[in-house]
Amino acid sequence: QVRLVESGGGLVQAGGSLRLSCAASGTIFSINVMRWYREAPGKQRELVAFITSGGSANYEDSVKGRFAISRDNAKKTVYLQMNSLKPEDTAVYYCNADVVSDSTWSYKGYWGQGTQVTVSS
């Protein structure tokens, strides 16, 4: 069984910063791409950023230059540093990862439970 557990959400004023973490645990042979999504009230879940096992990162246009995704493969953890936060960044942030957890060596997608980020104006 694979678990992804997010932490680091909270309430912050506009212009502030937060750092989200997502730690994977359980039977894990390999983790490929790790992603952060967010879901705002009344909106569809959207991909915010992703990072490959080799460290290549990609961002949704609205967060470029403000957010930075990173990972520690030894700790099986992905981070999202969020700077210059805006009220429109308010959402539940979800971690997602492609994980090999058995001898079939096939990657399966797993989700965390989400962490609330609220940015006040």
Side-chain angles (χ1 to χ4, degrees):
Q1 187 74 1
V2 174
R3 286 188 69 202
L4 299 180
V5 179
E6 299 104 334
S7 60
L11 173 64
V12 65
Q13 287 189 331
S17 298
L18 284 173
R19 188 191 193 212
L20 305 183
S21 300
C22 171
S25 63
T27 303
I28 296 173
F29 295 165
S30 176
I31 303 176
N32 193 6
V33 181
M34 304 185 83
R35 307 172 185 87
W36 286 100
Y37 285 80
R38 65 185 178 187
E39 187 171 335
K43 295 188 177 182
Q44 287 189 333
R45 190 172 297 188
E46 66 173 354
L47 178 63
V48 175
F50 69 86
I51 185 167
T52 67
S53 57
S56 295
N58 215 302
Y59 301 91
E60 191 267 329
D61 285 346
S62 70
V63 307
K64 284 180 180 177
R66 300 189 298 122
F67 290 11
I69 189 171
S70 61
R71 63 191 284 171
D72 185 328
N73 291 329
K75 294 182 178 179
K76 300 183 180 66
T77 299
V78 62
Y79 306 96
L80 187 67
Q81 177 67 44
M82 304 186 295
N83 300 324
S84 302
L85 282 162
K86 304 175 180 180
E88 50 264 43
D89 294 318
T90 295
V92 178
Y93 283 71
Y94 296 91
C95 171
N96 168 269
D98 297 336
V99 179
V100 171
S101 61
D102 57 37
S103 57
T104 66
W105 273 91
S106 61
Y107 284 98
K108 298 177 184 175
Y110 292 88
W111 290 90
Q113 82 288 352
T115 185
Q116 177 70 47
V117 171
T118 302
V119 184
S120 63
S121 57

